[in-house]
Amino acid sequence: MTQTRTVETLLEQLTLEEQVSLLSGADFWRTVAVERLNIPQLKVSDGPAGVRGGGPLVGGKKTAAFPVGIALGSTWNVELLREIGQHLAREAKDKGAAVLLAPTMNLFRSTLNGRNFESYSEDPFLTGKLGVAYVQGLQERGVAATVKHFVGNESEYQRNTISSDIPERALRELYLVPFEMTVKEGKTLAVMSAYNKLNGIFASENKRLLTDILRTEWGFNGLVMSDWFGSHSAGESVRAGLDLEMPGPARARASLLEEAQNDEATREAVKTAARNVLNLLVRTGVLDSPLDVRDENERDEEYADTRELIRRAGAESIVLLKNEGDLLPFPAGAKVAVIGPNGAKGQVMGGGSAQMNAHRQVSPLEGLQAALAEEQVTYHIGCYNDKFLPIFAGGFNIEYRALGGEEVLAREHRPLGEIMWFELPAGIPRAFQATLTTTLNITEAGTYELSLASAGLTRLHVNGEAVVNNWEDFRQGDTYFGFGSDEVRGEIHLTEGEHQVLIEYRTADVPHGFGMSAVRFGFRKPLPETSVQEAAQLASEADYAVVCIGTNGEWETEGVDRWGLELPGRQDELVREVAKANPNTIVVLQTGGPVLMPWLADVPAVLQAWFPGQEAGFAITDVLLGQAEPGGRLPQTFPARLEDDPTHPETPDLQYPGENGHVEYQEGLFIGYRHVDRHSLTPLFPFGHGLSYTTFEIGSVQVSTEEVQPGETVNVTVEVRNTGQRRGQTVLQLYVHDVETSLERPEKELKAFQKVTLDAGESQTVTLPIDMRSFAYFDDTRDAWVADAGEFHLLIGQSSANLTVQLSVTLASEWVQSVRNA
């Protein structure tokens, strides 16, 4: 940036109207340019598991799809997250974006949060460390991170209006910690405010949150933007510390210029916010070297290193939950039956704003076929697990009209059976009607299911016959971020040949969310009742049965919470029947969070594979065949039953999902493994759990001092040895237990960890540092972090339930760090 083109110089040259213009987006993904002063647009893009660019949520330009957040959380690998951030920066620049809306720093308070798959962990320390690495990797390659959603967005129920009522200690010790770490350690350049209220005040206009804590206490000097359509005021939000309203054009801030003209405090706040926008342009290099914000490159083949990274990260995220008799890995010469609804589908991502048009979606079937001879691999779907009917594979020819009009204003072809109209053809108003036509080519006569889900009113006709009516009886449901209808289904008998489909659409007269318009056409032929038995029979003819079950991005999605913990459809039945037919049954489970496993005792091996990105089938195959280690360790407790979740009493109430506009975090500090310890529960699988294809032994452990002085850092050195026959990975985990606390605290808290990769017989000494905050709790009566004098236990092992080493240290005197004048 030249001497004559400093931020302060530009700020003085900007008129008040121009300053105000910088504080709301120009469109969905770009900020406003000020051509008079050569201030360019800044483009942002959704993450966190890829870079979609400026395209729609479905379709659009292809891009690399990385493992989702919970998968990356299960790697416990800080350096891997940094490497992924570096690659995402390259992807962002290819899409003309200098800001990525990622990473997601919210915690797993509840197993039923629909967006858990985007986050890393139930533990704030693990979440923070991984987030810091992601931010650093992204930003060292010139793309700004935007940590989100600040703060208290731990469920999707009424997220746009609900107040997350969080006790101060829980807020400080759990929910703020990952954000604090990404600000102080990661130096994130941007923060996104949450949709929800925090203790009665919208996060996007919460001065205590955005100014007092974020800027004054933590020293943040970057940009704060709203979540999309998540701002609710003009001058008030700017004075509270919200710099940028997204998307544009200005909506909540339509009156901001008038307010600023009439109020000095608002004018000063506008100037400060404009400074933050300009600083972000400078820090991303965009001010002097603008990116082509229209650039939507689809680079794939030339980025072989990214494909390799996604495959490697996907394998390292897979958690080996069970491996009786060392069934895995199985030999390459085996005959394998791939069974289940996720077998021939690449379930690579969750739903909502995190989804993208991946370069490819490799299924487990494709992965195994590529690794083995094709004749060694057979397949049967067994059952369905879709929440909705599959999207029609063809596209639509569309004619647009004004509401009530006859004249066709525009025509276009859309290649997919689902459309979200974020952008309309030129001249088409936001309120419109359309007819969508397509052809069904039926090769087998029979009964078929058809469905519509829409943000707007829809009717479906086949050959002139009405099949689905989502018009007169339109009801808002769970689709399209909670602003579309539920899916409405119909059935029709179709003969072989071509059949004409007509869908009528019009924007609804009732509010249906952010002006969103969308339609989804589902279509399929039902499976026969005997399909599960047919799958089991096929499995009986193979050496190994790989049952690929779980969920998909319809179940695990933004805008609606998870359905429960039971697997949908006939999947539990399918596992049981296959296990009866073949004793070498391996379950590959792909979900965005915990599920119940009533068949666990019936199968010898279970892999938790999450949604591991576009190379999913290759990563899963690598682990099944032992070409890669199952490197994952659970970042979330898997409860034995829903009632063991800390936020789920027998009936829904104020604690979850909330009542009368409030959700109370009544469990306080006790989520995840903290809740397990407090109530002496036995989870299905504990936090930090994961098996290896080899074995590890913890050797000598030493602490740098047994008498700790206030302000001192304690270093714990741990020797670990690979006692098995092959190379493998483990995670050393260190938890702190306060023996003599003056306030109630969790039984133990994760405060250090290290991923270790060792060859057979190799040993390594690892250093785990423990600082004062690791010993401290937050005293809300003193507004301070406090570590009591006295004894602490340091618990070391390979999961929260497998802590084989205990050391004792003593803090010589009380340590206090006030936040009042931080």
Side-chain angles (χ1 to χ4, degrees), residues 408-469:
V408 177
L409 302 179
R411 292 182 174 89
E412 69 169 337
H413 177 77
R414 294 285 188 111
L416 300 176
E418 181 179 25
I419 300 170
M420 297 185 202
W421 281 287
F422 288 119
E423 296 182 4
L424 289 161
I428 304 302
R430 289 304 313 178
F432 68 95
Q433 63 186 45
T435 55
L436 299 82
T437 57
T438 191
T439 300
L440 298 177
N441 292 296
I442 302 301
T443 58
E444 181 182 354
T447 298
Y448 287 80
E449 295 178 293
L450 301 91
S451 69
L452 289 174
S454 56
L457 312 181
T458 46
R459 283 190 288 243
L460 184 149
H461 304 264
V462 178
N463 301 327
E465 178 184 345
V467 179
V468 178
N469 187 337

Coordinates of all heavy atoms in Angstrom, one line a residue, residues 408-469:
V408 N -44.7 -14.6 -21.1 CA -43.4 -15.2 -20.6 C -42.3 -14.1 -20.7 O -42.0 -13.6 -21.7 CB -43.0 -16.4 -21.6 CG1 -41.7 -17.0 -21.2 CG2 -44.1 -17.5 -21.5
L409 N -41.8 -13.8 -19.5 CA -40.7 -12.8 -19.4 C -39.3 -13.3 -19.7 O -38.4 -12.5 -20.1 CB -40.8 -12.2 -18.0 CG -42.1 -11.5 -17.6 CD1 -42.0 -11.0 -16.2 CD2 -42.5 -10.5 -18.6
A410 N -39.1 -14.6 -19.4 CA -37.8 -15.2 -19.6 C -37.9 -16.7 -19.7 O -38.8 -17.3 -19.1 CB -36.8 -14.7 -18.5
R411 N -36.9 -17.3 -20.4 CA -36.9 -18.8 -20.4 C -35.4 -19.1 -20.1 O -34.5 -18.5 -20.5 CB -37.2 -19.3 -21.8 CG -38.7 -19.1 -22.2 CD -39.0 -19.8 -23.5 NE -40.4 -19.8 -23.9 CZ -41.0 -18.8 -24.5 NH1 -40.4 -17.7 -24.8 NH2 -42.3 -18.8 -24.7
E412 N -35.2 -20.3 -19.5 CA -33.9 -20.8 -19.2 C -34.0 -22.3 -18.9 O -35.1 -22.8 -18.6 CB -33.2 -20.1 -18.1 CG -33.8 -20.3 -16.7 CD -32.9 -19.8 -15.6 OE1 -31.7 -19.6 -15.8 OE2 -33.4 -19.6 -14.5
H413 N -32.8 -22.9 -19.0 CA -32.7 -24.4 -18.6 C -31.9 -24.5 -17.4 O -30.8 -23.8 -17.3 CB -32.1 -25.2 -19.8 CG -31.9 -26.6 -19.4 ND1 -32.9 -27.5 -19.4 CD2 -30.8 -27.3 -19.0 CE1 -32.5 -28.7 -19.0 NE2 -31.2 -28.6 -18.8
R414 N -32.3 -25.2 -16.4 CA -31.5 -25.5 -15.2 C -31.2 -27.0 -15.2 O -32.1 -27.8 -15.4 CB -32.3 -25.1 -14.0 CG -32.5 -23.6 -13.8 CD -31.2 -22.9 -13.4 NE -31.5 -21.5 -13.0 CZ -31.4 -21.0 -11.8 NH1 -31.0 -21.8 -10.8 NH2 -31.6 -19.7 -11.5
P415 N -30.0 -27.4 -15.0 CA -29.6 -28.8 -15.2 C -29.9 -29.7 -14.1 O -29.7 -30.9 -14.2 CB -28.0 -28.7 -15.4 CG -27.7 -27.5 -14.6 CD -28.8 -26.5 -14.7
L416 N -30.4 -29.2 -12.9 CA -30.6 -30.1 -11.8 C -32.1 -30.1 -11.4 O -32.9 -29.2 -11.8 CB -29.9 -29.5 -10.6 CG -28.3 -29.5 -10.7 CD1 -27.7 -28.9 -9.5 CD2 -27.8 -30.9 -11.0
G417 N -32.5 -31.2 -10.7 CA -33.9 -31.3 -10.2 C -34.2 -30.5 -9.0 O -35.3 -30.7 -8.4
E418 N -33.3 -29.7 -8.5 CA -33.5 -28.8 -7.4 C -32.9 -27.4 -7.8 O -31.8 -27.3 -8.3 CB -32.8 -29.3 -6.1 CG -33.0 -28.4 -4.9 CD -32.4 -28.9 -3.7 OE1 -31.4 -29.6 -3.8 OE2 -32.8 -28.5 -2.6
I419 N -33.7 -26.4 -7.5 CA -33.3 -25.1 -7.8 C -33.5 -24.2 -6.6 O -34.5 -24.2 -5.9 CB -34.2 -24.5 -8.9 CG1 -34.0 -25.3 -10.2 CG2 -33.8 -23.0 -9.2 CD1 -35.0 -25.0 -11.3
M420 N -32.5 -23.4 -6.2 CA -32.6 -22.3 -5.3 C -32.3 -21.0 -6.0 O -31.2 -20.8 -6.5 CB -31.6 -22.5 -4.1 CG -31.8 -23.7 -3.3 SD -30.6 -23.8 -1.9 CE -30.6 -25.6 -1.6
W421 N -33.4 -20.2 -6.1 CA -33.3 -19.0 -6.9 C -32.6 -17.8 -6.1 O -33.3 -16.9 -5.7 CB -34.6 -18.5 -7.4 CG -35.1 -19.3 -8.6 CD1 -34.7 -19.2 -9.8 CD2 -36.2 -20.3 -8.6 NE1 -35.4 -20.1 -10.7 CE2 -36.4 -20.7 -9.9 CE3 -37.1 -20.8 -7.6 CZ2 -37.3 -21.6 -10.3 CZ3 -38.0 -21.7 -8.0 CH2 -38.1 -22.1 -9.3
F422 N -31.3 -17.9 -5.8 CA -30.7 -16.8 -5.2 C -30.5 -15.7 -6.2 O -30.5 -14.5 -5.9 CB -29.3 -17.2 -4.6 CG -29.4 -18.0 -3.4 CD1 -28.9 -19.3 -3.4 CD2 -30.0 -17.6 -2.3 CE1 -29.0 -20.1 -2.3 CE2 -30.1 -18.3 -1.1 CZ -29.6 -19.6 -1.1
E423 N -30.4 -16.0 -7.5 CA -30.3 -15.1 -8.6 C -31.3 -15.5 -9.6 O -31.4 -16.6 -10.0 CB -28.9 -15.0 -9.1 CG -27.8 -14.5 -8.2 CD -26.4 -14.4 -8.8 OE1 -26.3 -14.7 -10.0 OE2 -25.5 -14.1 -8.1
L424 N -32.0 -14.5 -10.2 CA -33.0 -14.7 -11.2 C -32.6 -14.1 -12.5 O -31.7 -13.2 -12.5 CB -34.3 -14.0 -10.7 CG -35.1 -14.7 -9.6 CD1 -36.1 -13.7 -9.0 CD2 -35.8 -16.0 -10.0
P425 N -33.1 -14.6 -13.6 CA -32.8 -13.9 -14.9 C -33.1 -12.4 -14.9 O -34.0 -12.0 -14.1 CB -33.7 -14.7 -15.9 CG -34.0 -16.0 -15.2 CD -34.1 -15.7 -13.8
A426 N -32.5 -11.7 -15.7 CA -32.6 -10.2 -15.8 C -34.1 -9.9 -16.0 O -34.8 -10.5 -16.9 CB -31.8 -9.6 -16.8
G427 N -34.6 -9.0 -15.2 CA -36.0 -8.5 -15.4 C -37.0 -9.3 -14.7 O -38.2 -8.9 -14.7
I428 N -36.7 -10.3 -14.0 CA -37.6 -11.1 -13.2 C -37.7 -10.6 -11.8 O -36.7 -10.6 -11.1 CB -37.3 -12.6 -13.2 CG1 -37.2 -13.1 -14.7 CG2 -38.3 -13.4 -12.5 CD1 -38.4 -12.9 -15.5
P429 N -38.9 -10.2 -11.3 CA -39.0 -9.6 -10.0 C -38.8 -10.8 -8.9 O -39.0 -11.9 -9.3 CB -40.4 -9.0 -9.9 CG -41.1 -9.8 -11.0 CD -40.2 -10.2 -12.0
R430 N -38.6 -10.4 -7.7 CA -38.4 -11.4 -6.6 C -39.8 -12.1 -6.4 O -39.8 -13.3 -6.1 CB -38.0 -10.7 -5.3 CG -36.6 -10.2 -5.2 CD -35.6 -11.3 -5.5 NE -35.7 -12.5 -4.8 CZ -34.9 -13.6 -4.9 NH1 -33.9 -13.5 -5.8 NH2 -35.1 -14.7 -4.3
A431 N -40.9 -11.5 -6.6 CA -42.2 -12.1 -6.6 C -42.5 -12.5 -8.0 O -42.7 -11.7 -8.9 CB -43.2 -11.2 -6.0
F432 N -42.6 -13.8 -8.3 CA -42.8 -14.3 -9.7 C -43.5 -15.6 -9.7 O -43.7 -16.3 -8.6 CB -41.5 -14.4 -10.4 CG -40.6 -15.6 -9.9 CD1 -40.6 -16.8 -10.5 CD2 -39.8 -15.3 -8.8 CE1 -39.8 -17.8 -10.0 CE2 -39.0 -16.4 -8.3 CZ -39.0 -17.6 -8.9
Q433 N -43.9 -16.1 -10.8 CA -44.4 -17.4 -11.0 C -43.7 -18.1 -12.2 O -43.2 -17.4 -13.0 CB -45.9 -17.5 -11.2 CG -46.4 -16.8 -12.5 CD -48.0 -16.7 -12.5 OE1 -48.6 -16.4 -11.5 NE2 -48.5 -17.1 -13.6
A434 N -43.7 -19.4 -12.2 CA -42.9 -20.1 -13.2 C -43.5 -21.5 -13.5 O -44.2 -22.0 -12.6 CB -41.5 -20.3 -12.8
T435 N -43.3 -22.0 -14.7 CA -43.6 -23.4 -15.0 C -42.3 -24.1 -15.3 O -41.5 -23.5 -16.1 CB -44.6 -23.5 -16.2 OG1 -44.1 -22.7 -17.3 CG2 -46.0 -22.9 -15.8
L436 N -42.2 -25.2 -14.8 CA -41.0 -26.0 -15.0 C -41.4 -27.4 -15.6 O -42.3 -28.0 -15.1 CB -40.3 -26.3 -13.6 CG -39.8 -25.2 -12.8 CD1 -40.9 -24.5 -12.0 CD2 -38.7 -25.6 -11.9
T437 N -40.8 -27.7 -16.7 CA -41.1 -28.9 -17.4 C -39.9 -29.8 -17.6 O -38.8 -29.3 -17.8 CB -41.8 -28.6 -18.8 OG1 -40.8 -27.8 -19.6 CG2 -43.1 -27.8 -18.7
T438 N -40.2 -31.1 -17.6 CA -39.1 -32.1 -17.9 C -39.8 -33.4 -18.3 O -41.0 -33.5 -18.4 CB -38.2 -32.3 -16.6 OG1 -37.1 -33.1 -17.0 CG2 -39.0 -33.0 -15.6
T439 N -38.9 -34.4 -18.7 CA -39.4 -35.6 -19.2 C -38.9 -36.8 -18.4 O -37.6 -36.8 -18.1 CB -39.0 -35.8 -20.7 OG1 -39.6 -34.8 -21.5 CG2 -39.5 -37.2 -21.2
L440 N -39.7 -37.7 -17.9 CA -39.3 -38.9 -17.3 C -39.2 -40.0 -18.3 O -40.1 -40.3 -19.1 CB -40.3 -39.3 -16.2 CG -40.6 -38.4 -15.1 CD1 -41.7 -38.9 -14.2 CD2 -39.4 -38.2 -14.2
N441 N -38.0 -40.6 -18.3 CA -37.8 -41.8 -19.2 C -37.8 -43.1 -18.4 O -36.9 -43.4 -17.7 CB -36.5 -41.7 -20.0 CG -36.5 -40.5 -20.9 OD1 -37.2 -40.5 -21.9 ND2 -35.6 -39.5 -20.7
I442 N -38.9 -43.8 -18.5 CA -39.2 -45.0 -17.7 C -38.8 -46.2 -18.4 O -39.3 -46.5 -19.5 CB -40.7 -45.0 -17.2 CG1 -41.0 -43.8 -16.5 CG2 -40.9 -46.3 -16.3 CD1 -40.2 -43.5 -15.2
T443 N -37.9 -47.0 -17.8 CA -37.5 -48.3 -18.5 C -38.1 -49.5 -17.9 O -38.0 -50.6 -18.5 CB -35.9 -48.4 -18.4 OG1 -35.6 -48.4 -17.0 CG2 -35.2 -47.3 -19.1
E444 N -38.8 -49.3 -16.7 CA -39.4 -50.5 -16.1 C -40.8 -50.0 -15.5 O -40.8 -49.1 -14.7 CB -38.6 -51.0 -14.9 CG -39.2 -52.2 -14.2 CD -38.3 -52.7 -13.1 OE1 -37.2 -52.2 -12.9 OE2 -38.8 -53.6 -12.4
A445 N -41.8 -50.6 -16.0 CA -43.2 -50.2 -15.6 C -43.4 -50.5 -14.1 O -42.8 -51.5 -13.6 CB -44.2 -50.9 -16.4
G446 N -44.1 -49.7 -13.4 CA -44.4 -49.9 -12.0 C -44.9 -48.7 -11.3 O -45.1 -47.6 -11.9
T447 N -45.0 -48.8 -10.0 CA -45.4 -47.7 -9.2 C -44.1 -46.8 -8.8 O -43.1 -47.4 -8.4 CB -46.1 -48.1 -7.9 OG1 -47.3 -48.8 -8.3 CG2 -46.5 -46.9 -7.0
Y448 N -44.2 -45.5 -9.0 CA -43.1 -44.6 -8.6 C -43.6 -43.6 -7.6 O -44.8 -43.2 -7.6 CB -42.6 -44.0 -9.9 CG -41.8 -44.9 -10.8 CD1 -42.5 -45.8 -11.7 CD2 -40.5 -44.9 -10.8 CE1 -41.8 -46.6 -12.5 CE2 -39.7 -45.7 -11.6 CZ -40.4 -46.6 -12.4 OH -39.7 -47.4 -13.2
E449 N -42.6 -43.2 -6.8 CA -42.9 -42.1 -5.8 C -42.3 -40.8 -6.4 O -41.3 -40.7 -7.0 CB -42.2 -42.4 -4.5 CG -42.7 -43.6 -3.8 CD -41.9 -43.8 -2.5 OE1 -40.7 -44.2 -2.6 OE2 -42.5 -43.7 -1.4
L450 N -43.1 -39.7 -6.2 CA -42.7 -38.4 -6.6 C -43.0 -37.4 -5.5 O -43.9 -37.6 -4.7 CB -43.5 -37.9 -7.9 CG -43.4 -38.7 -9.1 CD1 -44.5 -39.8 -9.2 CD2 -43.4 -37.9 -10.4
S451 N -42.2 -36.4 -5.4 CA -42.4 -35.4 -4.3 C -42.0 -34.0 -4.6 O -41.2 -33.8 -5.6 CB -41.5 -35.9 -3.1 OG -40.1 -35.7 -3.4
L452 N -42.5 -33.1 -3.9 CA -42.1 -31.7 -3.9 C -41.8 -31.2 -2.5 O -42.5 -31.5 -1.6 CB -43.3 -30.8 -4.5 CG -43.6 -31.0 -6.0 CD1 -44.8 -30.2 -6.3 CD2 -42.4 -30.5 -6.9
A453 N -40.8 -30.4 -2.5 CA -40.5 -29.5 -1.3 C -40.2 -28.1 -1.9 O -39.5 -28.1 -2.9 CB -39.4 -30.0 -0.4
S454 N -40.7 -27.1 -1.2 CA -40.5 -25.8 -1.9 C -40.5 -24.7 -0.9 O -41.3 -24.7 0.1 CB -41.5 -25.6 -3.0 OG -42.8 -25.7 -2.5
A455 N -39.8 -23.6 -1.2 CA -40.0 -22.3 -0.5 C -40.8 -21.5 -1.5 O -40.3 -20.9 -2.5 CB -38.6 -21.7 -0.2
G456 N -42.1 -21.5 -1.4 CA -43.0 -21.1 -2.4 C -44.1 -22.1 -2.6 O -44.0 -23.2 -2.0
L457 N -45.0 -21.9 -3.4 CA -46.2 -22.8 -3.7 C -45.9 -23.6 -4.9 O -45.4 -23.0 -5.9 CB -47.5 -22.0 -3.8 CG -47.8 -20.9 -2.8 CD1 -49.1 -20.2 -3.1 CD2 -47.8 -21.5 -1.4
T458 N -46.2 -24.9 -4.9 CA -45.9 -25.8 -6.0 C -47.0 -26.8 -6.2 O -47.7 -27.2 -5.2 CB -44.6 -26.5 -5.8 OG1 -44.5 -27.1 -4.5 CG2 -43.4 -25.6 -6.0
R459 N -47.2 -27.2 -7.5 CA -48.1 -28.3 -7.9 C -47.3 -29.1 -8.9 O -46.6 -28.6 -9.8 CB -49.4 -27.8 -8.4 CG -50.4 -27.3 -7.4 CD -51.7 -27.1 -8.0 NE -51.8 -25.9 -8.8 CZ -52.5 -24.8 -8.6 NH1 -53.3 -24.7 -7.5 NH2 -52.5 -23.7 -9.4
L460 N -47.5 -30.4 -8.9 CA -46.8 -31.3 -9.8 C -47.9 -32.2 -10.6 O -48.8 -32.8 -10.0 CB -45.9 -32.2 -9.1 CG -45.0 -33.2 -9.9 CD1 -43.7 -33.4 -9.2 CD2 -45.6 -34.5 -10.2
H461 N -47.7 -32.2 -11.9 CA -48.6 -32.9 -12.8 C -47.7 -33.9 -13.6 O -46.6 -33.5 -14.1 CB -49.4 -32.0 -13.8 CG -50.2 -31.0 -13.0 ND1 -51.5 -31.1 -12.8 CD2 -49.8 -29.8 -12.6 CE1 -52.0 -30.1 -12.1 NE2 -51.0 -29.2 -12.0
V462 N -48.2 -35.1 -13.9 CA -47.6 -36.0 -14.8 C -48.6 -36.4 -15.9 O -49.7 -36.9 -15.6 CB -47.1 -37.3 -14.1 CG1 -46.4 -38.3 -15.1 CG2 -46.1 -36.9 -13.0
N463 N -48.2 -36.1 -17.1 CA -49.1 -36.3 -18.2 C -50.5 -35.7 -18.0 O -51.5 -36.2 -18.3 CB -49.3 -37.8 -18.5 CG -48.0 -38.5 -18.8 OD1 -47.1 -38.0 -19.4 ND2 -47.9 -39.8 -18.4
G464 N -50.4 -34.5 -17.4 CA -51.7 -33.8 -17.1 C -52.4 -34.2 -15.9 O -53.4 -33.5 -15.5
E465 N -52.0 -35.2 -15.2 CA -52.6 -35.7 -14.0 C -52.0 -35.1 -12.8 O -50.7 -35.2 -12.6 CB -52.6 -37.2 -13.9 CG -53.2 -37.8 -12.7 CD -53.0 -39.3 -12.6 OE1 -52.7 -40.0 -13.7 OE2 -53.2 -39.9 -11.5
A466 N -52.8 -34.5 -11.9 CA -52.2 -33.9 -10.6 C -51.8 -35.1 -9.7 O -52.5 -36.0 -9.4 CB -53.3 -33.1 -9.9
V467 N -50.5 -35.0 -9.3 CA -49.9 -36.0 -8.4 C -49.5 -35.5 -7.1 O -49.7 -36.1 -6.0 CB -48.6 -36.6 -9.1 CG1 -48.0 -37.7 -8.2 CG2 -49.0 -37.2 -10.5
V468 N -49.0 -34.3 -7.0 CA -48.6 -33.7 -5.7 C -49.1 -32.2 -5.7 O -48.9 -31.4 -6.6 CB -47.1 -33.6 -5.5 CG1 -46.7 -33.0 -4.2 CG2 -46.5 -35.0 -5.6
N469 N -49.8 -31.9 -4.6 CA -50.3 -30.5 -4.4 C -49.7 -29.9 -3.1 O -49.9 -30.3 -2.0 CB -51.8 -30.6 -4.2 CG -52.4 -29.2 -4.1 OD1 -51.8 -28.2 -3.9 ND2 -53.7 -29.1 -4.4

